[in-house]
Amino acid sequence: MQVGVIGSNSSQCSEELYDFALKLGESLAHKGYTIINGGMHGVMEAVSKGAKNSLINQTRVVGILPSANKEEANEYLDIIIPTNSGLARNYQVVLASDVLIALGGGAGTLNEISYAWQCNKKVFCYTATEGWSSKLANTNLDSRRENLLIGFESIEELLILLENNG
């Protein structure tokens, strides 16, 4: 399964959220999931680093960059896809993912959650942090769909949700 991880960039990522994303990356790697993210820093870097620190070699971490410059990517990616598409890369992250995990997040994360909603993809929303993930957990964005934004409070809870709903 390809799991997209979206969330706070480096300007909004607290140390606590970064540490959580590190542990999440390691846990996703142990389950053998391919990790898709925006390839930059903050939550994206932390989840990538966690996956690489897990020493699970079969896990791949894919970064879909907003720019054309591969040098801007975080150093923990296996595959770097430069798009030169700016914010449109958010849609590509969503399309490449079977399900998504939202950790905190500002306007970019809100955009990705909206795309996921429109594409009928589940987003597991971390509730123990500030940002859009906690604000939108267990809500519906409109009347066309329901139960796609699923809240979770721990990695253990998330792994069960992924097993049952992925």
Side-chain angles (χ1 to χ4, degrees), residues 88-100:
R89 110 25 173 93
N90 293 350
Y91 191 49
Q92 295 165 351
V93 169
V94 170
L95 288 177
S97 304
D98 297 314
V99 297
L100 293 105

Side-chain angles (χ1 to χ4, degrees), residues 59-95:
T59 294
R60 290 285 186 224
V61 182
V62 180
I64 302 175
L65 304 181
S67 72
N69 185 356
K70 289 170 79 173
E71 304 303 316
E72 293 178 5
N74 76 66
E75 63 185 278
Y76 305 101
L77 301 169
D78 295 305
I79 300 168
I80 301 169
I81 303 173
T83 67
N84 202 34
S85 63
L87 296 176
R89 110 25 173 93
N90 293 350
Y91 191 49
Q92 295 165 351
V93 169
V94 170
L95 288 177

